[in-house]
Amino acid sequence: MKQFSSQHLSIPSTGRNIKLLILRPIANKINSSKTPGILWIHGGGYATGMAEMVYFTRPLALVKKYGAVVVALSYRLSVEAPYPAALEDCYSALLWMKEHAEELGINSSQLMVGGESAGGGLTAALCMYARDRKEVNIAYQMPLYPMLDDRDTDSSRNNHAPVWNTKRNHAAWRLYLKDTDSVSPYAAPARQTDYSALPPAYTFVGDIEPFYCETLTYIENLQKAGIEAAVDVYPGWFHAYDMYFPLKKSVKKAVARFEGQYLYAAEHYFSPQNGRI
């Protein structure tokens, strides 16, 4: 028996329309008035990927097991349009979720954002951008092993781990930032200096992958700003390890931990739109 429905939509963004993929439970596991809406942003180094990647990443279980509503988007990729195109598309999708919360069956006070890799980087950037624009509030962020820093860190420098390494990282950032003279925190969130008033966060990361240091630094900076934020580190994990080895015990443990953090957020984190819950 199918546990969720899917729907494709096209909505306007800056310069073009973007495709959304909406996943909803057939029968909500929790009351619809308390159902979070999750904007999930795919990975791919800002250069590849599509909304349909949501079918084999973390949020699908949040729909099937816990009744969340997930909106995934296909943002403009850096090979066709560099920064800020992807961020503009993510922001358009977020505003659309706020405006259509009732028909989506989500609590507008619980708009959450998450993604893996470049999607994690866009998650962090979107939280900063939304905070500064003051048009929509984000209740929680889940930037998994996020791509945050265009500069080398101790873990991204001379990294030769599988899947993602220093060479690929440098190439991806060159594509994404090719028309950018000075790098904004909205482009590379590790350049942010003000972490106040950002949403609570949870992430996990492997200790041999390039993004290990920047992930820990991001969480530390949130904590220093008084934001509730947590990270789990998994020894020996390279980039996207959880997707490559879903049946391993350590991955099952990580998935359970991720889902537990989501459930805690669903019970405790709210950010009303226009002062209303």
Side-chain angles (χ1 to χ4, degrees):
M1 179 174 152
K2 192 172 181 181
Q3 298 169 290
F4 65 95
S5 65
S6 60
Q7 177 186 10
H8 285 92
L9 285 179
S10 179
I11 68 166
S13 183
T14 305
R16 65 154 227 185
N17 286 354
I18 55 171
K19 183 177 72 175
L20 302 183
L21 172 59
I22 304 168
L23 304 182
R24 287 186 263 203
I26 298 296
N28 279 344
K29 304 293 183 181
I30 53 179
N31 187 286
S32 61
S33 66
K34 297 183 180 178
T35 299
I38 304 169
L39 178 66
W40 197 261
I41 309 170
H42 69 76
Y46 299 107
T48 64
M50 64 191 79
E52 286 76 10
M53 290 169 65
V54 75
Y55 286 121
F56 56 87
T57 55
R58 298 280 69 83
L60 182 59
L62 304 184
V63 180
K64 294 165 66 175
K65 295 168 66 174
Y66 308 114
V69 173
V70 169
V71 176
L73 78 149
S74 291
Y75 53 84
R76 280 171 289 176
L77 302 175
S78 61
V79 291
E80 74 171 282
Y83 170 83
L87 180 61
E88 291 172 346
D89 292 347
C90 292
Y91 190 66
S92 295
L94 182 66
L95 287 176
W96 182 89
M97 287 180 67
K98 173 192 170 183
E99 293 163 3
H100 294 82
E102 185 173 351
E103 64 190 79
L104 287 169
I106 61 177
N107 184 347
S108 66
S109 297
Q110 287 197 295
L111 299 184
M112 301 182 178
V113 180
E116 64 286 314
S117 191
L122 283 165
T123 294
L126 184 60
C127 288
M128 297 169 184
Y129 192 67
R131 175 197 64 182
D132 298 342
R133 291 287 296 263
K134 302 185 188 308
E135 295 177 309
V136 55
N137 295 327
I138 298 171
Y140 192 60
Q141 57 173 313
M142 298 170 280
L144 305 183
Y145 37 88
M147 184 176 176
L148 301 167
D149 204 337
D150 63 302
R151 306 158 298 187
D152 281 345
T153 68
D154 287 345
S155 62
S156 66
R157 184 184 299 109
N158 298 321
N159 188 298
H160 305 288
V163 179
W164 200 255
N165 54 38
T166 301
K167 183 178 179 180
R168 290 183 174 181
N169 201 44
H170 287 172
W173 278 114
R174 281 195 299 270
L175 272 175
Y176 189 55
L177 301 176
K178 61 185 175 185
D179 291 338
T180 304
D181 294 326
S182 59
V183 181
S184 162
Y186 301 144
R191 292 179 176 266
Q192 181 63 257
T193 57
D194 178 10
Y195 290 81
S196 64
L198 289 172
Y202 172 74
T203 184
F204 62 79
V205 68
D207 69 352
I208 67 168
E209 78 144 274
F211 303 151
Y212 170 66
C213 286
E214 58 208 73
T215 300
L216 267 60
T217 299
Y218 181 63
I219 295 300
E220 289 169 2
N221 284 332
L222 288 171
Q223 291 171 341
K224 288 176 184 176
I227 308 299
E228 293 185 56
V231 57
D232 286 321
V233 176
Y234 293 98
W237 280 27
F238 51 78
H239 191 66
Y241 187 94
D242 60 312
M243 295 188 200
Y244 283 88
F245 300 105
L247 300 181
K248 283 189 174 287
K249 287 184 179 179
S250 62
V251 173
K252 291 181 178 180
K253 175 184 176 183
V255 170
R257 173 74 172 159
F258 167 79
E259 292 178 5
Q261 290 290 311
Y262 162 76
L263 290 173
Y264 181 87
E267 289 291 328
H268 293 88
Y269 298 132
F270 299 84
S271 190
Q273 311 297 334
N274 302 319
R276 295 192 301 271
I277 293 182

